[in-house]
DNA sequence: TTTTGAGTTGTTCGA
DNA sequence: GTCGAACAACTCAAA
């Protein structure tokens, strides 16, 4: 039997039909496009909790995309497995003329695409990938001497100087949906077949309004208000186009636009320094972190006795998201008050965050711990009580997540702020002064 | 090559 | 209550 002759667009973190660069190129240049998504068991097998909101989010999104593709006469192919095995099966089943995808610069994704690209090339199938998730990527924004930026503000200035409005022109993929390969519908495997469960996921809103942008600078730091855009999850999975967000925000809010540029800043940091497991400033790997399992557990569960910290951790556990201001507070608390390695916090966030972006999560944790690019100086220790008084004075956020706050049932503080602050500064100072090697934990101050 | 100005989000202390 | 300095230098980026 003759194999169907098709091209494939491989969806990964670009789960939308509108303004999708790679999909647009597939539809306009190749035609007979079979859209593909792979539930990658290399990734899924490492997820401990089978009620994972991210898998649920992807599944729900695919379900919606599938409907739209089917009403355009096409079909969405959803496979489960390791990418090599899946692609081997696809090459047996189809005569593939071309494969498109959008860039993904995380270390695993780069390695995966290199392997799959080689596999396809061996059979003479062109595998072309496109820039889609950022305005600038890789080494497109460099210093005049050719090196990468490691400080945000000059990066942002250069970003803006290189920016041209036409970079935001949409790729109208949604107007060529008739060029999908016309075939009867294909099954979408259930979450159960994939090995996961339906969750309590609440899909964040997808609209970025002018009024939110107008008040963004003022409201974004108040966790009790709905003052942040909630776009992080959509940016993570590509359910919105980042070009669309820049189109909406550039003239309306410099602060918001800079947040989008921060995202690209951290992406290029990871691209140029692909060692997220190391402290960006090596001296910070000499800090004698406390291996405090009990303290870490209390932090994870929101039982530190510091209400803003506990509220944040409970928000994370309950929803998979946490307000940005509170992310800074809980990260400062873990790395400074508890002197626990930022990698522990990063790993916990990676396990829980619906909007998990490796570059931003790593960049943010290293920022909070002081070890990162352009990070907070080591002696800057957030005072969780003061942060609460400043950003949640009415306790609206705290009481929402920590209803027992103020009663006898609420946990006493895990550490006394004044002691913890002194201990953090002293311990950091000690670690940073020692550039020769690791200080043994016995040498810790204040035990 | 040297110089100069600057660097996301803070806290505490003392005048 | 307000305000500036200290915290601690250090490194980056660009002229």
């Amino acid at each position: 039997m003759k194999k169907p002759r098709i091209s494939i667009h491989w969806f990964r973190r670009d789960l939308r039909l509108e303004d999708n660069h790679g999909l647009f190129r597939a539809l306009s240049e190749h035609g007979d496009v079979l859209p593909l998504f792979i539930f990658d068991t290399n990734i899924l097998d490492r997820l401990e909790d089978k009620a994972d909101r991210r898998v649920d989010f992807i599944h729900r999104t695919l379900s919606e995309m599938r409907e739209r593709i089917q009403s355009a006469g096409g079909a969405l192919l959803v496979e489960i497995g390791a990418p090599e095995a899946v692609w081997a099966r696809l090459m047996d089943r189809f005569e593939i003329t071309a494969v498109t995808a959008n860039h993904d610069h995380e270390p695993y994704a780069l390695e995966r695409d290199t392997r799959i690209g080689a596999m396809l090339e061996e059979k003479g199938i062109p595998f072309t990938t496109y820039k889609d998730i950022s305005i600038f990527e890789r080494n497109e924004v460099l210093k005049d001497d050719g090196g990468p930026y490691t400080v945000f503000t000059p990066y942002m200035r250069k970003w803006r100087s290189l920016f041209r409005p036409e970079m935001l022109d949409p790729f109208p993929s949604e107007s060529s949906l008739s060029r999908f390969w016309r075939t009867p519908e294909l099954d979408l495997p259930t979450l159960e077949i994939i090995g996961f469960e339906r969750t309590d996921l609440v899909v964040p809103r997808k609209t970025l309004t002018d009024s939110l942008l107008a008040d963004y600078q003022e409201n974004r730091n108040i966790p009790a208000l709905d003052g942040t855009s909630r776009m992080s999850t959509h940016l993570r999975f590509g359910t919105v186009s980042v070009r669309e967000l820049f189109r909406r925000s550039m003239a309306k809010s410099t602060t918001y636009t800079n947040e989008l540029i921060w995202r690209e800043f951290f992406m290029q940091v990871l691209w140029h320094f692909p060692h997220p497991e190391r402290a960006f400033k090596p001296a910070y790997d000499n800090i004698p972190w406390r291996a405090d399992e009990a303290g870490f557990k209390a932090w994870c569960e929101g039982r530190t006795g510091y209400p803003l910290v506990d509220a944040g951790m409970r928000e994370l556990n309950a929803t998979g998201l946490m307000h940005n201001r509170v992310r800074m507070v809980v990260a400062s608390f873990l790395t400074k008050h508890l002197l626990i390695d930022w990698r522990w916090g990063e790993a916990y966030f990676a396990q829980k965050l619906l909007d998990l972006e490796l570059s931003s999560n790593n960049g943010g944790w290293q920022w909070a711990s002081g070890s990162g690019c352009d990070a907070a100086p080591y002696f800057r220790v957030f005072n969780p009580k003061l942060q609460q008084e400043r950003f949640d004075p009415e306790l609206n956020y705290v009481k929402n997540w920590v209803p027992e706050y103020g009663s006898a049932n609420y946990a006493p503080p895990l550490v006394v702020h004044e002691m913890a602050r002194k201990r953090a500064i002293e311990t950091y100072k000690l670690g940073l002064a020692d550039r020769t090697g690791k200080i043994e934990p016995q040498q810790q101050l204040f035990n």
Side-chain angles (χ1 to χ4, degrees), chain A residues 137-142 146-149 266-275:
Chain A
E137 63 178 8
R138 301 184 177 178
N139 56 4
E140 291 180 343
V141 178
L142 294 173
Y149 282 97
F266 280 140
M267 285 180 170
Q268 62 96 42
V269 168
L270 183 61
W271 171 262
H272 290 285
F273 306 94
H275 296 288

Short mmCIF file of all heavy atoms in Angstrom, two decimals, chain A residues 137-142 146-149 266-275:
data_model
loop_
_atom_site.label_atom_id
_atom_site.label_comp_id
_atom_site.label_asym_id
_atom_site.label_seq_id
_atom_site.Cartn_x
_atom_site.Cartn_y
_atom_site.Cartn_z
N GLU A 137 16.39 36.12 19.87
CA GLU A 137 16.77 34.84 20.47
C GLU A 137 18.27 34.62 20.27
O GLU A 137 18.94 35.37 19.56
CB GLU A 137 15.99 33.69 19.83
CG GLU A 137 16.30 33.53 18.36
CD GLU A 137 15.58 32.38 17.69
OE1 GLU A 137 14.71 31.75 18.31
OE2 GLU A 137 15.92 32.09 16.53
N ARG A 138 18.76 33.57 20.88
CA ARG A 138 20.15 33.13 20.72
C ARG A 138 21.12 34.31 20.86
O ARG A 138 21.16 34.93 21.90
CB ARG A 138 20.30 32.44 19.36
CG ARG A 138 19.38 31.24 19.24
CD ARG A 138 19.58 30.50 17.94
NE ARG A 138 18.72 29.31 17.91
CZ ARG A 138 18.65 28.49 16.88
NH1 ARG A 138 19.39 28.69 15.80
NH2 ARG A 138 17.85 27.45 16.93
N ASN A 139 21.88 34.61 19.81
CA ASN A 139 22.87 35.69 19.92
C ASN A 139 22.46 36.91 19.11
O ASN A 139 23.31 37.61 18.58
CB ASN A 139 24.25 35.18 19.50
CG ASN A 139 24.20 34.61 18.10
OD1 ASN A 139 23.17 34.66 17.43
ND2 ASN A 139 25.32 34.09 17.63
N GLU A 140 21.17 37.17 19.06
CA GLU A 140 20.71 38.31 18.24
C GLU A 140 20.86 39.65 18.94
O GLU A 140 20.78 40.69 18.29
CB GLU A 140 19.25 38.09 17.82
CG GLU A 140 19.13 36.96 16.82
CD GLU A 140 17.70 36.70 16.36
OE1 GLU A 140 16.75 37.15 17.04
OE2 GLU A 140 17.54 36.02 15.35
N VAL A 141 21.04 39.64 20.25
CA VAL A 141 21.27 40.89 20.98
C VAL A 141 22.60 40.73 21.71
O VAL A 141 22.69 40.04 22.71
CB VAL A 141 20.14 41.19 21.99
CG1 VAL A 141 20.43 42.47 22.76
CG2 VAL A 141 18.79 41.29 21.27
N LEU A 142 23.63 41.37 21.16
CA LEU A 142 24.97 41.24 21.75
C LEU A 142 25.54 42.62 22.03
O LEU A 142 25.12 43.61 21.43
CB LEU A 142 25.90 40.48 20.79
CG LEU A 142 25.57 39.01 20.50
CD1 LEU A 142 26.48 38.48 19.40
CD2 LEU A 142 25.70 38.16 21.76
N GLY A 146 30.71 41.99 20.84
CA GLY A 146 30.33 40.66 20.38
C GLY A 146 29.96 39.67 21.47
O GLY A 146 29.51 38.57 21.18
N GLY A 147 30.15 40.06 22.72
CA GLY A 147 29.82 39.15 23.82
C GLY A 147 28.38 39.30 24.27
O GLY A 147 27.70 40.26 23.88
N PRO A 148 27.91 38.34 25.06
CA PRO A 148 26.54 38.40 25.55
C PRO A 148 26.39 39.36 26.73
O PRO A 148 27.33 39.57 27.50
CB PRO A 148 26.28 36.96 26.01
CG PRO A 148 27.62 36.43 26.37
CD PRO A 148 28.62 37.11 25.47
N TYR A 149 25.21 39.90 26.87
CA TYR A 149 24.90 40.74 28.03
C TYR A 149 24.64 39.89 29.25
O TYR A 149 24.05 38.80 29.16
CB TYR A 149 23.65 41.58 27.76
CG TYR A 149 23.89 42.78 26.88
CD1 TYR A 149 23.62 42.73 25.52
CD2 TYR A 149 24.39 43.96 27.42
CE1 TYR A 149 23.84 43.83 24.71
CE2 TYR A 149 24.62 45.07 26.62
CZ TYR A 149 24.32 45.00 25.26
OH TYR A 149 24.55 46.09 24.47
N PHE A 266 16.56 36.44 30.22
CA PHE A 266 16.90 35.18 30.88
C PHE A 266 17.04 34.04 29.87
O PHE A 266 17.86 33.13 30.06
CB PHE A 266 15.87 34.82 31.95
CG PHE A 266 16.06 35.55 33.26
CD1 PHE A 266 14.97 36.01 33.98
CD2 PHE A 266 17.33 35.75 33.79
CE1 PHE A 266 15.14 36.67 35.19
CE2 PHE A 266 17.51 36.41 35.00
CZ PHE A 266 16.41 36.87 35.71
N MET A 267 16.28 34.10 28.79
CA MET A 267 16.43 33.07 27.75
C MET A 267 17.81 33.14 27.11
O MET A 267 18.44 32.11 26.87
CB MET A 267 15.36 33.23 26.66
CG MET A 267 13.98 32.76 27.10
SD MET A 267 12.79 32.99 25.76
CE MET A 267 11.39 32.09 26.44
N GLN A 268 18.28 34.37 26.85
CA GLN A 268 19.60 34.47 26.22
C GLN A 268 20.71 34.17 27.23
O GLN A 268 21.77 33.69 26.85
CB GLN A 268 19.78 35.81 25.49
CG GLN A 268 19.72 37.06 26.36
CD GLN A 268 21.08 37.54 26.78
OE1 GLN A 268 22.01 37.56 26.00
NE2 GLN A 268 21.21 37.97 28.04
N VAL A 269 20.47 34.43 28.50
CA VAL A 269 21.46 34.03 29.51
C VAL A 269 21.63 32.51 29.48
O VAL A 269 22.75 31.98 29.44
CB VAL A 269 21.06 34.51 30.93
CG1 VAL A 269 21.93 33.84 31.99
CG2 VAL A 269 21.16 36.02 31.04
N LEU A 270 20.51 31.79 29.44
CA LEU A 270 20.58 30.33 29.42
C LEU A 270 21.24 29.84 28.11
O LEU A 270 21.97 28.85 28.12
CB LEU A 270 19.19 29.73 29.59
CG LEU A 270 19.12 28.20 29.66
CD1 LEU A 270 19.92 27.66 30.85
CD2 LEU A 270 17.68 27.70 29.73
N TRP A 271 20.97 30.53 27.04
CA TRP A 271 21.56 30.15 25.75
C TRP A 271 23.09 30.28 25.78
O TRP A 271 23.81 29.38 25.35
CB TRP A 271 20.98 31.03 24.63
CG TRP A 271 21.68 30.87 23.32
CD1 TRP A 271 22.67 31.67 22.80
CD2 TRP A 271 21.48 29.83 22.35
NE1 TRP A 271 23.08 31.20 21.58
CE2 TRP A 271 22.37 30.07 21.28
CE3 TRP A 271 20.63 28.71 22.30
CZ2 TRP A 271 22.43 29.24 20.16
CZ3 TRP A 271 20.70 27.89 21.18
CH2 TRP A 271 21.58 28.16 20.13
N HIS A 272 23.57 31.39 26.35
CA HIS A 272 25.01 31.63 26.36
C HIS A 272 25.72 30.92 27.51
O HIS A 272 26.92 30.66 27.43
CB HIS A 272 25.30 33.14 26.45
CG HIS A 272 24.94 33.88 25.20
ND1 HIS A 272 25.71 33.82 24.06
CD2 HIS A 272 23.89 34.68 24.89
CE1 HIS A 272 25.15 34.56 23.11
NE2 HIS A 272 24.04 35.10 23.59
N PHE A 273 24.98 30.65 28.58
CA PHE A 273 25.58 30.01 29.76
C PHE A 273 24.71 28.79 30.11
O PHE A 273 23.93 28.84 31.06
CB PHE A 273 25.65 30.99 30.93
CG PHE A 273 26.37 32.27 30.59
CD1 PHE A 273 25.65 33.39 30.16
CD2 PHE A 273 27.75 32.35 30.67
CE1 PHE A 273 26.31 34.57 29.83
CE2 PHE A 273 28.41 33.53 30.34
CZ PHE A 273 27.68 34.65 29.92
N PRO A 274 24.84 27.72 29.33
CA PRO A 274 23.88 26.61 29.47
C PRO A 274 24.19 25.69 30.65
O PRO A 274 24.24 24.47 30.50
CB PRO A 274 23.99 25.88 28.13
CG PRO A 274 25.38 26.16 27.67
CD PRO A 274 25.79 27.49 28.23
N HIS A 275 24.40 26.27 31.82
CA HIS A 275 24.70 25.48 33.02
C HIS A 275 23.82 25.93 34.17
O HIS A 275 24.30 26.48 35.16
CB HIS A 275 26.17 25.61 33.40
CG HIS A 275 27.08 25.05 32.37
ND1 HIS A 275 27.21 23.70 32.16
CD2 HIS A 275 27.86 25.66 31.45
CE1 HIS A 275 28.06 23.49 31.15
NE2 HIS A 275 28.46 24.66 30.70
#
